[in-house]
Amino acid sequence: MKEATHDLVVIGAGPGGYVAAIRAAQLGLDVACIEKEPALGGTCLRVGCIPSKALLEASERYVEARGSLKRFGVKVSGVELDLGAMQRHRERTVKALTQGVAGLLKKNAITRYAGHGRLDGPGVVIVDGEDTHKISCQRVILATGSVPSTLPGVEFDGEHIVGSTEALEWREVPEHLVVIGAGYIGLELGSVWARLGSKVTVLEYLDRILPGMDGETAKQAQRLFKKQGLQFVLRAKVTGASVKDGKVTVQADGSDPIECDRLLVAVGRRPSTEGLGLDSVGIETDERGRIVIDEHWKTSVDGVYAIGDVVRGPMLAHKAEEEGVACVEALVEGYGHVNYDAIPGIVYTHPEIASVGKTEEQLKDSATPYKVGKFPFMANGRAKALAETDGQVKILAHAETDRILGAHVIGPRAGDLIAELVVAMEFGASAEDVARSSHAHPTLAEVVKEAALAVHGRTLNI
Ligand code: NAD
């Protein structure tokens, strides 16, 4: 066993872990980062956000080439799908970015350990890899992320019944894909395969899609996805799935049994803490298996911190990054902060759906007085020129103070447009602040300005 000493050990090199390691190195600590996968970057870079975006972009181009470019007077003939080449685009994208993370660790003089990291009593971390390392350290950050959940009676077999990792890698377009769960993954990957030619049926337990997002926005999204060919069965509680002769039969209360070629289970993720040695130091977890932390990301044990999907809050890469930076700043400088009210959530479908802050439902539930301002992309010059007129920007502001409490965008480049509203919320801006800021013409961002004007009933272009 090889022995080493570092100031800080980060277990996990996903967006939370590698960013925490970089920030700690910037602040002068001697940092080690442990990763069990050969490629760095975690679920997000290897098998999540990045590869799914590569396929979402590529499949959208296919749809455009097959027909929707016609509206611009561009006729394309002989369009064929080369799924192998599309998958190589995904692989190249992932490779470039995961290698980039390795470069970043090197640049910041962070020691990288390859293998499975685990706590082994106070101040000790063991790395089980090709070599075994025993690392002594003052502080540890656990950033081990999450793994896909499944349902009772539905077992992953890696081929017919799968999670998102396998559903990114298919080399043939399934004839009929059933997706369980109308959340982020179900809608993004459901969209990819529907665009490439699959019949896609989405089974959702609740009576709506995208739970947690603004209800009106989710309804609009469902209408648009239906037009794109996605079929939804709501209030469908999946009770089991079995595979016979290469076909999957899905059983659900609220639906007849459905036969399909592939079943994607996208019902959420659970914290990844297996084999992490939490018991060796007595770290507490909650009823959902998440590591319990205080407001400075400290676990129940001194010197051990946890961030990202393995703790409470939305399982989003950028939330993990913010926590990684703030956790390190808190432990080195004594102060670090994440504004959980201003973490955006984006579904990268077509159109995109982006959200920050409170939904209308949450404001009603908390009896907060609010005003709504909405503006449709239909009335925006740039959206017309792009032939992307579906959707709207909706801004929720406090009825008395005018402070922006939430914003919900469905439409072209919603994921980019929401950034302005996130910054506005970080600065405690009012709807009027946004309305009085100059927005270049002609841009999609003018829809944000108009929605802010709409809060006070004074839109200019409708
Ligand atoms: P999710 O929580 O977004 O959606 C899960 C869906 O499954 C919900 O609609 C839920 O009601 C439904 N469901 C749960 N049990 C069910 C059952 N028995 N039958 C039918 N439906 C059921 O989870 P996800 O889509 O699996 O994504 C996992 C995590 O990954 C999420 O936390 C998300 O934040 C993250 N993610 C984010 C992005 C992004 O930022 N664009 C993309 C992919 C994944």
Side-chain angles (χ1 to χ4, degrees):
M1 186 179 314
K2 298 183 176 169
E3 299 205 7
T5 303
H6 296 281
D7 296 336
L8 172 71
V9 172
V10 181
I11 305 184
Y18 88 74
V19 165
I22 290 174
R23 186 70 190 116
Q26 286 173 348
L27 291 172
L29 298 192
D30 167 12
V31 188
C33 188
I34 307 172
E35 174 56 56
K36 64 179 166 48
E37 297 292 335
L40 303 178
T43 298
C44 171
L45 269 71
R46 292 184 305 105
V47 291
C49 327
I50 296 299
S52 61
K53 259 77 279 170
L55 289 186
L56 279 157
E57 285 299 335
S59 58
E60 189 54 29
R61 298 293 184 281
Y62 177 60
V63 170
E64 285 176 0
R66 284 192 64 188
S68 58
L69 285 176
K70 263 191 224 145
R71 63 194 170 184
F72 295 110
V74 179
K75 283 191 189 169
V76 185
S77 55
V79 177
E80 274 179 55
L81 174 65
D82 181 347
L83 186 54
M86 199 176 273
Q87 292 291 20
R88 285 193 292 282
H89 162 63
R90 170 182 60 78
E91 287 160 359
R92 272 195 310 271
T93 311
V94 168
K95 195 170 172 194
L97 286 162
T98 54
Q99 286 178 346
V101 175
L104 288 171
L105 293 193
K106 208 168 175 189
K107 180 182 153 208
N108 286 280
I110 294 160
T111 309
R112 176 181 164 185
Y113 289 91
H116 182 278
R118 63 183 161 86
L119 301 167
D120 190 32
V124 179
V125 174
I126 301 287
V127 186
D128 300 309
E130 238 171 68
D131 294 320
T132 305
H133 297 267
K134 180 179 177 184
I135 308 175
S136 306
C137 54
Q138 292 157 10
R139 283 137 172 179
V140 181
I141 296 180
L142 306 172
T144 47
S146 59
V147 291
S149 300
T150 187
L151 300 168
V154 183
E155 258 177 55
F156 293 126
D157 69 359
E159 192 186 348
H160 297 94
I161 303 178
V162 301
S164 51
T165 302
E166 295 83 3
L168 286 165
E169 292 171 359
W170 289 326
R171 299 277 159 175
E172 271 173 43
V173 179
E175 212 167 294
H176 185 190
L177 166 65
V178 169
V179 179
I180 311 178
Y184 284 79
I185 293 178
L187 295 173
E188 290 185 359
L189 288 182
S191 292
V192 165
W193 293 106
R195 291 171 193 170
L196 299 182
S198 296
K199 172 182 171 187
V200 175
T201 309
V202 183
L203 305 179
E204 167 57 50
Y205 178 68
L206 299 173
D207 61 357
R208 55 164 293 176
I209 69 167
L210 290 171
M213 280 214 168
D214 183 73
E216 178 191 4
T217 309
K219 249 191 207 142
Q220 289 186 1
Q222 189 180 342
R223 229 179 7 249
L224 294 170
F225 295 146
K226 261 190 187 160
K227 272 208 247 165
Q228 294 168 14
L230 263 66
Q231 293 179 13
F232 291 94
V233 184
L234 302 180
R235 296 181 204 84
K237 185 180 178 211
V238 173
T239 52
S242 53
V243 183
K244 199 175 165 200
D245 303 330
K247 292 276 181 194
V248 187
T249 306
V250 189
Q251 312 278 348
D253 292 344
S255 159
D256 291 332
I258 304 177
E259 194 173 276
C260 60
D261 307 281
R262 294 281 185 274
L263 176 63
L264 164 61
V265 185
V267 295
R269 299 176 62 86
R270 59 185 169 81
S272 170
T273 54
E274 225 178 85
L276 198 51
L278 298 185
D279 291 342
S280 76
V281 285
I283 288 178
E284 266 177 52
T285 53
D286 68 12
E287 71 295 345
R288 287 160 70 178
R290 301 173 298 193
I291 295 175
V292 177
I293 49 166
D294 69 9
E295 69 278 16
H296 292 120
W297 303 276
K298 191 174 93 50
T299 68
S300 51
V301 171
D302 279 348
V304 185
Y305 300 78
I307 57 161
D309 286 9
V310 84
V311 302
R312 83 277 178 277
M315 289 185 171
L316 297 171
H318 45 281
K319 174 260 193 188
E321 286 177 35
E322 295 304 328
E323 289 183 332
V325 168
C327 171
V328 166
E329 289 178 351
L331 67 88
V332 177
E333 299 185 312
Y335 184 75
H337 179 69
V338 174
N339 178 1
Y340 288 100
D341 287 332
I343 305 272
I346 299 157
V347 190
Y348 296 86
T349 44
H350 189 96
E352 293 178 350
I353 307 157
S355 170
V356 62
K358 302 284 185 243
T359 63
E360 217 174 327
E361 291 77 13
Q362 286 170 328
L363 294 177
K364 278 186 186 141
D365 285 349
S366 62
T368 308
Y370 67 94
K371 284 187 176 170
V372 189
K374 298 181 206 173
F375 196 84
F377 283 94
M378 185 63 93
N380 172 264
R382 190 67 185 280
K384 283 253 193 244
L386 285 167
E388 297 269 1
T389 50
D390 285 328
Q392 66 172 14
V393 174
K394 170 175 174 178
I395 293 178
L396 303 167
H398 196 284
E400 286 141 26
T401 65
D402 197 35
R403 186 176 178 146
I404 298 174
L405 303 173
H408 308 279
V409 185
I410 174 167
R413 298 286 161 194
D416 297 314
L417 294 177
I418 202 78
E420 172 184 0
L421 292 156
V422 174
V423 174
M425 286 181 68
E426 276 291 348
F427 281 78
S430 62
E432 183 160 3
D433 288 328
V434 173
R436 289 193 181 276
S437 305
S438 174
H439 288 65
H441 176 73
T443 59
L444 297 169
E446 287 173 288
V447 182
V448 175
K449 178 186 172 96
E450 289 276 7
L453 283 166
V455 171
H456 305 292
R458 51 188 197 91
T459 54
L460 296 165
N461 286 286
I462 208 166

